Amino acid sequence: MVITTLAERPELTPRIYELSDTWPEFVFFEPVAGALLGRVPEEFPEYCLVATDGDRVVARGFSVPFDAGFGRRTELPDQGWDRVLLWAFSDQRSGRQPTSVSALEITVDTGYVGRGLSHRMLTALREAAARQGHRELLAPVRPNAKHLRPHLPMAEYVEERRADGLPTDPWLRVHVRAGGTVERIAPASMTVGGSLDQWRRWTGLPFDRDGAVAVPGALAPVHCDTAHDQAVYVEPNVWVRHRLTRDGD
């Protein structure tokens, strides 16, 4: 398998969504993602990766640069994934120089899961950020086993460790093994709202009672309000910091 940036292989940009993945349906209706994520590979190709096995695209990875010091911003915002994606495009439009870079996603084709490709993609994202002059890669990590325990607060979930001291969550474990440090929770990293009919279509669940609804693939419950015909999902993520080494350091 070969991993390159999309700046090196721009002809693969139209093919990066050919992957078979396990993303839950409702995430595709997240408004910030819907407006901006599809533009990331073309606007920031030097920060985006593609993995190929022969002629087949088998993984993609996105990150974006942003100016963490502008205005009242904080380096690790509570709104996590949504906020850094908005900042990246705002900074690009305004000509502000980036001071930080944040990973957005690593998606591996389901046929290639379990081969260590996610670790290789994370390493490649780190290297791509370092080549652009960054000393750190930040990541609002979506722990990939948290959906099995949606009612457990994320702050408690991230504290769980195996006997060897590594996180129990497999994706957090990949980050820590790669040298990342868990910094804090991003409690409102992504938000998806919709009518009850929309949520029924997305999930196949009835959404006929008020309160918290456990939805397959969701890291926290979806809050259902039948009187107002709406349900809202606010996803927590986990900020992880990767310190990088550049040539000559």
Side-chain angles (χ1 to χ4, degrees):
M1 284 179 280
V2 177
I3 300 174
T4 59
T5 67
L6 286 175
E8 296 169 297
R9 300 193 68 185
E11 74 279 4
L12 291 178
T13 300
R15 298 184 54 203
I16 57 176
Y17 296 102
E18 294 178 358
L19 308 176
S20 172
D21 62 55
T22 58
W23 289 101
E25 180 72 11
F26 62 83
V27 302
F28 298 107
F29 295 88
E30 208 274 351
V32 177
L36 298 176
L37 187 61
R39 294 170 50 193
V40 168
E42 295 183 358
E43 300 292 340
F44 306 101
E46 64 276 19
Y47 290 92
C48 296
L49 305 175
V50 58
T52 53
D53 185 5
D55 292 331
R56 181 177 179 182
V57 174
V58 298
R60 66 176 180 263
F62 296 165
S63 62
V64 289
F66 66 98
D67 180 2
F70 178 72
R72 297 181 179 180
R73 295 179 181 178
T74 58
E75 188 181 44
L76 305 174
D78 286 345
Q79 291 80 19
W81 194 97
D82 275 358
R83 188 62 67 194
V84 294
L85 183 53
L86 288 166
W87 284 347
F89 279 93
S90 174
D91 293 341
Q92 182 196 53
R93 184 175 61 252
S94 301
R96 286 187 285 268
Q97 288 297 114
T99 62
S100 302
V101 58
S102 175
L104 293 177
E105 75 164 88
I106 292 175
T107 300
V108 176
D109 188 276
T110 54
Y112 285 74
V113 172
R115 304 189 189 187
L117 185 52
S118 59
H119 183 274
R120 291 181 59 188
M121 291 291 287
L122 177 57
T123 298
L125 274 183
R126 289 164 52 107
E127 293 171 350
R131 285 195 298 272
Q132 297 304 314
H134 298 283
R135 293 185 176 274
E136 295 182 333
L137 172 69
L138 307 174
V141 175
R142 186 178 201 268
N144 63 359
K146 177 65 172 67
H147 69 99
L148 300 174
R149 303 169 70 189
H151 294 285
L152 181 68
M154 184 68 85
E156 296 180 24
Y157 182 79
V158 299
E159 292 299 323
E160 296 184 349
R161 295 288 188 273
R162 305 191 313 180
D164 60 5
L166 290 171
T168 56
D169 184 83
W171 190 214
L172 281 176
R173 196 158 60 243
V174 168
H175 279 267
V176 172
R177 279 176 167 161
T181 57
V182 174
E183 296 285 325
R184 65 187 300 266
I185 306 302
S189 196
M190 299 175 68
T191 301
V192 182
S195 69
L196 300 187
D197 277 345
Q198 285 180 302
W199 279 100
R200 290 169 188 137
R201 291 197 299 271
W202 298 339
T203 67
L205 298 175
F207 276 91
D208 56 0
R209 295 183 181 181
D210 290 335
V213 180
V215 169
L219 309 193
V222 177
H223 291 277
C224 177
D225 183 342
T226 58
H228 293 91
D229 187 29
Q230 65 179 12
V232 178
Y233 171 64
V234 181
E235 177 168 295
N237 287 168
V238 181
W239 276 114
V240 176
R241 187 190 304 273
H242 292 266
R243 302 192 187 280
L244 309 176
T245 301
R246 298 183 295 184
D247 292 342
D249 286 354

